[in-house]
Amino acid sequence: MTVQVVTAVGHRHDADVATVVERAPQLVLARRCADLAELLSVVAAGVAEVVVVSADLRGLDRESLATCAAQGVAVVGIVAPGDEESERRLRQLGAPAIVTTASSPEEVAEVVLGLQEAAAAGVGSASTSGVQPEGAPPEHAGSPEEDKPGEPGQILAVWGPTGAPGRTTVATTLAALLARDGRRVLLVDLDTWGAAVAQVLGIIDEAPGVAAAARLSEQGSLDVFSLARVAPVVSGTLRVLTGISAAERWPEIRPGATADILARARLLADVVIVDCGFALEDDEELSYDTRAPRRNGATLTALDEADLVLAVGSADPVGLQRLVRGVQSLRGRGRAPDAILINKVRASVAGARPESAIGSVLSRFAGLEHPTFLPWDPEACDAAMLQGRTLVEATVDSPLVAALEGVSRTLLAPAGDVRSVTARRAGRGPFRARLRPR
């Protein structure tokens, strides 16, 4: 068996790396790429099985390596002996294995073939010994005690269809409730169509947020501590990672960076609440000859990474129809919601007994059982918006806050009660999606 290898390294080591690969047993040097653009075109053409890259390759970022992985191409990083900074950067960009320019051809072949065997077995990427695992925080002297990570936190994604069903209101209120109970909470705005968390909470939307975190991730310099710097504390134990300030900036929030941000967020907070966008389409490749930018990639990544998904719909005929179709789309992606929240419930739009009427319709036509109803509370929402504060801070005895307290208690494990993410995703235990087939 031979493995087709493509190299893309800085000019200082290009010739040496090519020589080592050519001499390595079972490896065939298929191409020496001069820059990143050439590397990505070669990968797209299906020439490479493994690519060897260096940290000084101009333009190399997380999305480039994610593109290679999406094409089924393994990535090996190469660094000079003792160059810890380059090794760390390649690790943070997602390179699963590292060799040095002093490695023998046999050692390089062993690493490359190990990656191939691991991929064939479905185990994942191979790794080298003595290297800090991906996602672990580096040593950071002088960091605040509260920023030191503990057990990985839960991720709760708040999704809803188009039409302003109240995703941001639900997300901010749940975040405030959990922070009030002493949890470390990180609220992340990943809505690439209409980010609103900053405006709702009275935060300057030009402040660094998810865009800054994404840039750090693409550069390979995002860790728990840098994430904490761009996600300031706004109240008690509540941090906020604000969304993009203008919708046209959506290309900055790429899926690979989003997954990296959420992985770090688990180490920063006990609960990570993500305010997602509404759109679930993932057909950009139909319009492009090459790997396409994905406007909805951030939302789809958050839904894939989340331990719990809340689907929020508004209690009117149009909103309910959109919710039903949206939940069908979620099911088609293999990600049924863990709870259905019907927001803005009032008799004026759904009849004298709105809960009964809506519940009957959802059960009969969509197979959605036991939704949670959130009352229409415009006065409290207006007061919170006027003050630039959460509902929890701005109002007293709000029926909407009381209803969301029940959601929080039902869905989220108490502090210290760590459940298996695998078990939650498999639908076992108290987080099982309350759905039945149509």
Side-chain angles (χ1 to χ4, degrees):
M1 179 190 74
T2 60
V3 178
Q4 300 287 109
V5 178
V6 170
T7 64
V9 299
H11 67 277
R12 290 182 302 169
H13 303 297
D14 180 45
D16 294 336
V17 171
T19 300
V20 170
V21 172
E22 287 176 331
R23 293 177 178 176
Q26 297 182 271
L27 304 187
V28 175
L29 181 60
R31 188 76 169 265
R32 292 166 61 181
C33 298
D35 53 30
L36 181 62
E38 184 180 0
L39 172 66
L40 294 179
S41 65
V42 168
V43 168
V47 174
E49 294 179 84
V50 174
V51 299
V52 178
V53 298
S54 63
D56 60 351
L57 180 64
R58 186 173 182 180
L60 185 68
D61 57 15
R62 177 175 294 278
E63 192 66 17
S64 302
L65 299 192
T67 299
C68 294
Q71 296 288 336
V73 177
V75 177
V76 175
I78 190 161
V79 299
D83 189 352
E84 296 181 359
E85 182 178 351
S86 294
E87 182 174 338
R88 184 182 303 109
R89 180 167 185 265
L90 287 170
R91 287 287 180 188
Q92 291 180 324
L93 288 177
I98 305 292
V99 296
T100 73
T101 54
S103 299
S104 68
E106 291 73 21
E107 290 171 334
V108 172
E110 181 181 359
V111 170
V112 170
L113 295 174
L115 283 174
Q116 290 294 96
E117 291 174 3
V123 174
S125 299
S127 61
T128 54
S129 61
V131 179
Q132 181 176 305
E134 179 69 15
E139 294 294 330
H140 194 282
S143 298
E145 185 66 28
E146 60 269 22
D147 288 342
K148 293 181 180 178
E151 294 291 339
Q154 297 174 325
I155 296 179
L156 185 153
V158 180
W159 172 88
T162 187
R167 295 182 300 269
T168 300
T169 298
V170 169
T172 55
T173 304
L174 285 175
L177 287 168
L178 292 166
R180 187 187 65 181
D181 292 341
R183 304 277 198 100
R184 296 180 305 163
V185 181
L186 175 60
L187 175 61
V188 181
D189 191 343
L190 284 180
D191 189 344
T192 54
W193 293 88
V197 168
Q199 290 81 0
V200 167
L201 298 183
I203 302 172
I204 299 175
D205 61 1
E206 287 83 5
V210 69
R215 285 195 296 273
L216 290 170
S217 176
E218 294 289 358
Q219 296 163 5
S221 56
L222 181 68
D223 56 30
V224 176
F225 305 98
S226 58
L227 179 60
R229 286 195 296 271
V230 297
V233 175
V234 297
S235 176
T237 58
L238 172 61
R239 292 181 178 274
V240 175
L241 191 63
T242 57
I244 51 177
S245 57
E248 59 267 23
R249 295 180 62 185
W250 66 265
E252 299 177 35
I253 316 301
R254 300 177 179 181
T258 300
D260 187 36
I261 290 169
L262 294 178
R264 313 291 175 175
R266 286 186 186 274
L267 302 176
L268 180 62
D270 299 321
V271 181
V272 181
I273 296 182
V274 182
D275 185 3
C276 298
F278 66 89
L280 300 175
E281 293 82 8
D282 189 20
D283 58 357
E284 291 88 347
E285 284 79 4
L286 298 178
S287 303
Y288 293 83
D289 294 330
T290 59
R291 186 171 172 84
R294 299 170 59 200
R295 181 163 192 170
N296 306 323
T299 289
L300 297 174
T301 299
L303 292 171
D304 289 340
E305 296 293 328
D307 304 318
L308 300 169
V309 175
L310 273 61
V312 182
S314 55
D316 57 77
V318 174
L320 291 173
Q321 182 188 51
R322 289 171 173 171
L323 175 66
V324 168
R325 290 178 175 173
V327 169
Q328 290 172 346
S329 295
L330 284 173
R331 285 173 168 170
R333 293 185 55 83
R335 193 63 175 96
D338 297 275
I340 304 293
L341 307 185
I342 307 301
N343 195 23
K344 306 178 184 179
V345 176
R346 67 263 192 209
S348 59
V349 75
R353 299 176 59 193
E355 291 88 352
S356 177
I358 293 171
S360 176
V361 168
L362 292 179
S363 175
R364 179 178 178 183
F365 294 105
L368 305 182
E369 298 287 354
H370 310 297
T372 298
F373 297 99
L374 306 179
W376 178 230
D377 194 359
E379 292 81 8
C381 292
D382 289 347
M385 185 69 72
L386 179 63
Q387 299 174 38
R389 305 168 71 188
T390 66
L391 279 169
V392 177
E393 298 171 308
T395 63
V396 178
D397 298 329
S398 166
L400 178 54
V401 172
L404 286 171
E405 279 186 301
V407 172
S408 173
R409 287 194 300 269
T410 301
L411 286 176
L412 291 168
D417 184 5
V418 180
R419 289 175 169 82
S420 166
V421 173
T422 302
R424 286 198 297 271
R425 289 184 174 178
R428 297 189 291 271
F431 300 107
R432 186 180 183 89
R434 292 177 289 185
L435 304 170
R436 64 174 173 81
R438 294 184 61 185

